[in-house]
């Protein structure tokens, strides 16, 4: 009898950590769905065609507060105008080499804390990218838009409790899909994100415990196969 060996996928290092107050809160999340970044994939460009704002990407807290209405906002450039967040090709995921207090970084975090759902597309990499982990760290329920996705630590974490999965062809139906996720379900997912955040934070011992579990599982499957 043979066994299929599934490779363990590790999270991309993220420059942010879970905030026990802001990330856990359901309060002040007036934005239904949010994305801001380079349109460097077909899926991102289509999302911008469907939900893109005619207004420029918010560059101040006042701009962010003007995003009235519980709707989806997709912007075609990074927040704050002083460098891209996340996995944009010209950006950085280095957790040690960024200024956490620069205006664009603070504004980006406020946008994530103001959103119920954060859209995760493939871009210069797969959907297993830093944006996915950033969404988790801000308690913003990830919406993974992909036809094939292999989230990090998925042999330990049940991502069906952490994220909404949408096939690319369903992107046009995204408002209805998100509207169908009730407040109670969103709150449960945010509590699940709180539990998962430490396991996805490469600076935390919980991550390394998870890493060893994945590694030992791979060894056992290899020897057993």
């Amino acid at each position: 009898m043979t066994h299929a060996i599934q490779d363990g996928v590790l999270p991309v290092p993220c420059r942010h950590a879970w905030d026990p107050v802001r990330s856990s809160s359901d309060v002040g999340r007036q934005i239904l769905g949010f994305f801001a970044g380079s349109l460097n994939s077909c899926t991102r460009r289509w999302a911008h065609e469907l939900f893109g704002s005619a207004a420029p990407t918010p560059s101040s807290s006042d701009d962010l507060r003007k995003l009235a209405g519980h709707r989806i906002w997709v912007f075609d450039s990074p927040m704050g105008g002083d460098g891209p967040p996340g996995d944009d090709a010209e950006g950085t995921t280095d957790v040690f080499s960024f200024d956490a207090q620069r205006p664009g970084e603070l504004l980006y975090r406020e946008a994530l804390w103001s959103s119920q759902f954060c859209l995760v597309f493939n871009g210069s990499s797969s959907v297993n990218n830093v944006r996915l982990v950033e969404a988790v760290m801000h308690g913003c329920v990830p919406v993974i838009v992909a036809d094939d996705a292999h989230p990090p630590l998925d042999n330990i974490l049940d991502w069906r409790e952490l994220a909404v999965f949408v096939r690319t062809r369903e992107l046009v139906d995204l408002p209805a899909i998100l509207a169908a996720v009730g407040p109670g379900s969103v709150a449960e997912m945010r509590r699940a994100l709180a539990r998962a955040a430490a396991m996805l934070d490469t600076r935390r011992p919980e991550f390394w415990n998870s890493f060893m579990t994945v590694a030992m599982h791979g060894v056992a499957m290899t020897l057993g196969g």
Side-chain angles (χ1 to χ4, degrees):
M1 181 177 180
T2 60
H3 300 275
I5 300 174
Q6 182 182 38
D7 292 333
V9 177
L10 299 178
V12 175
C14 176
R15 53 204 175 178
H16 302 302
W18 179 271
D19 185 298
V21 176
R22 297 294 304 277
S23 301
S24 300
S25 178
D26 298 318
V27 177
R29 296 184 183 268
Q30 80 275 10
I31 300 171
L32 177 61
F34 175 81
F35 175 84
S38 299
L39 304 184
N40 56 359
S41 72
C42 293
T43 307
R44 291 185 181 194
R45 287 190 289 273
W46 189 30
H48 189 261
E49 290 176 12
L50 291 171
F51 312 114
S53 173
T57 304
S59 59
S60 68
S61 297
D62 288 339
D63 290 343
L64 192 60
R65 283 191 289 269
K66 292 176 184 176
L67 300 185
H70 200 59
R71 55 161 285 190
I72 297 170
W73 295 87
V74 175
F75 296 97
D76 62 356
S77 61
M79 299 288 293
D82 60 347
D87 65 334
D88 295 314
E90 66 272 31
T92 177
T93 60
D94 188 340
V95 297
F96 303 108
S97 64
F98 81 103
D99 180 3
Q101 298 303 312
R102 66 182 175 89
E105 194 70 32
L106 296 174
L107 187 63
Y108 180 58
R109 301 201 73 185
E110 285 298 328
L112 299 185
W113 279 321
S114 299
S115 303
Q116 290 282 12
F117 298 96
C118 287
L119 310 184
V120 181
F121 306 109
N122 58 7
S124 56
S125 61
S126 72
V127 290
N128 181 25
N129 54 46
V130 71
R131 289 183 183 275
L132 174 58
V133 184
E134 285 176 339
V136 171
M137 295 303 170
H138 292 81
C140 186
V141 177
V143 178
I144 299 175
V145 182
D147 296 322
D148 56 344
H150 197 170
L153 303 180
D154 63 340
N155 46 3
I156 297 176
L157 296 173
D158 186 350
W159 279 90
R160 294 169 298 180
E161 298 179 353
L162 303 172
V164 176
F165 290 85
V166 177
R167 294 188 180 277
T168 304
R169 66 175 181 269
E170 298 172 330
L171 190 57
V172 68
D173 300 317
L174 188 58
I177 292 172
L178 298 186
V181 184
S185 296
V186 173
E188 288 181 10
M189 296 177 86
R190 191 160 291 122
R191 287 192 289 271
L193 292 175
R195 294 189 294 270
M199 298 172 66
L200 296 170
D201 189 339
T202 55
R203 294 157 295 200
R204 296 284 298 269
E206 293 90 338
F207 163 77
W208 293 102
N209 291 337
S210 302
F211 171 80
M212 292 303 299
T213 299
V214 171
M216 294 304 296
H217 175 75
V219 170
M221 292 293 289
T222 301
L223 295 177

